[in-house]
Amino acid sequence: MKKNLKAFVAAAATLALSAALLAGCSGGGDAEKPANSDNGGAADAFTLTVGFDQGYPPYGYVGDDGEFTGFDLELAKAVCEKNGWGLKLEPIDWDAKDALIASGSINCIWNGFTMENREDDYTFSDPYMYNEQVVIVKKDAGMSALEDLSGKIVLTQVDSAALHVLESSEEGGQAELAATFKELQTIGDYNNAFMQLESGIVDAVACDLSIAAYQMAAKPDAYVKLGVLAPENYAVGFKKGDTDLAKQVTDALKALDEDGTVKQLCEKYNEQGITYDNWVL
């Protein structure tokens, strides 16, 4: 009886070893690796998840074909291709961006993102594009200077750089100017802000120069820039302390400038208000 039992155990062990060897040779374990359509299926390749406002042309928006496009999104794609990364574009609620980057749902904010006055909250790439906060009014509004906004309704995006400038009483802030407004209102996106300006619901929109240039290029006879609230720069924002990723993106952007890619993208979006003259990296 003992001999039969020993023989049975030995045979079972031999069968188990043979099955394991066959499984190892078959390569069946590859099926457990996560697929990534953006990086050719390489399971261990890094994927850059870019958080952006999909209503922020010309930097990030939905194109006529229904696909996400824009100057910054194409820059992000070029950086990922250069570094061998996957790319995931994640449209976000702009008001939720801090929570999303803190949780790791996105690992950067790349969408005409002003770095000034946000340095304590994010780690940034080197600045790559010069920008300004400006005020836009209708051409026939009869206003020619920022002082003419006294008693007017001014609209800007929630949690925007323009809002920060208009609420700040620190050096470079425009709280004194805002105190002369009839009202300073906020809205979720600039497309709707300009719709309200066009319809006469508000008297002015405070926004980025690039947004203003896009809107004025689309309707050259409708709007005029009233004045500059503050100069600033765009950079890519990362979770605080993520310095390695910020440096890799900066280095890739410099390389893309050297090989002419940046200039080509600027020319592609020139009619939408982008100019290579404002590239600062």
Side-chain angles (χ1 to χ4, degrees):
M1 182 69 178
K2 289 182 179 179
K3 289 182 178 179
N4 290 339
L5 179 61
K6 287 180 180 179
F8 175 77
V9 171
T14 301
L15 286 171
L17 179 60
S18 298
L21 289 172
L22 285 170
C25 293
S26 69
D30 289 345
E32 298 179 2
K33 294 181 181 179
N36 190 325
S37 60
D38 289 326
N39 58 26
D44 56 351
F46 173 73
T47 294
L48 186 72
T49 304
V50 174
F52 69 101
D53 177 353
Q54 63 179 316
Y56 205 75
Y59 285 89
Y61 59 99
V62 180
D64 294 337
D65 58 359
E67 299 294 324
F68 296 131
T69 189
F71 178 77
D72 272 355
L73 301 189
E74 291 208 44
L75 264 185
K77 180 180 179 182
V79 164
C80 288
E81 288 175 350
K82 182 164 284 292
N83 287 345
W85 297 342
L87 172 64
K88 182 180 180 182
L89 300 178
E90 190 68 42
I92 62 173
D93 178 348
W94 194 245
D95 210 19
K97 62 186 179 300
D98 293 349
L100 291 170
I101 202 165
S103 69
S105 298
I106 58 175
N107 47 33
C108 72
I109 301 168
W110 197 338
N111 194 199
F113 195 43
T114 300
M115 65 182 296
E116 280 79 8
N117 301 305
R118 289 180 170 131
E119 293 92 341
D120 293 337
D121 301 321
Y122 305 90
T123 289
F124 282 99
S125 69
D126 287 0
Y128 63 89
M129 186 70 77
Y130 172 77
N131 186 53
E132 295 172 341
Q133 292 303 319
V134 300
V135 177
I136 302 301
V137 298
K138 293 175 74 173
K139 236 175 193 180
D140 59 1
M143 290 184 276
S144 59
L146 292 174
E147 291 74 17
D148 296 330
L149 294 169
S150 178
K152 307 297 185 183
I153 299 175
V154 180
L155 184 61
T156 191
Q157 188 181 36
V158 63
D159 197 30
S160 63
L163 180 63
H164 179 87
V165 169
L166 288 168
E167 290 183 335
S168 176
S169 57
E170 299 176 1
E171 184 178 355
Q174 295 282 2
E176 287 188 13
L177 173 66
T180 70
F181 302 165
K182 179 180 180 180
E183 191 176 356
L184 176 60
Q185 300 179 355
T186 59
I187 196 169
D189 66 88
Y190 279 120
N191 285 334
N192 284 319
F194 275 88
M195 288 174 63
Q196 291 199 21
L197 177 60
E198 186 173 11
S199 65
I201 297 175
V202 299
D203 301 298
V205 171
C207 62
D208 294 38
L209 174 63
S210 56
I211 299 299
Y214 175 83
Q215 295 290 344
M216 290 190 293
K219 297 181 178 180
D221 297 323
Y223 308 118
V224 64
K225 185 173 78 172
L226 201 60
V228 177
L229 296 172
E232 62 181 30
N233 292 280
Y234 284 159
V236 187
F238 302 87
K239 186 176 181 179
K240 194 69 176 175
D242 203 351
T243 54
D244 288 344
L245 186 54
K247 184 179 184 307
Q248 290 179 70
V249 169
T250 294
D251 290 345
L253 285 173
K254 289 179 178 178
L256 290 168
D257 183 32
E258 290 175 0
D259 69 18
T261 301
V262 169
K263 190 171 184 180
Q264 289 175 6
L265 283 177
C266 288
E267 291 171 351
K268 178 178 178 178
Y269 287 91
N270 185 254
E271 291 184 357
Q272 298 183 31
I274 300 290
T275 172
Y276 185 68
D277 291 341
N278 286 343
W279 184 263
V280 296
L281 187 59

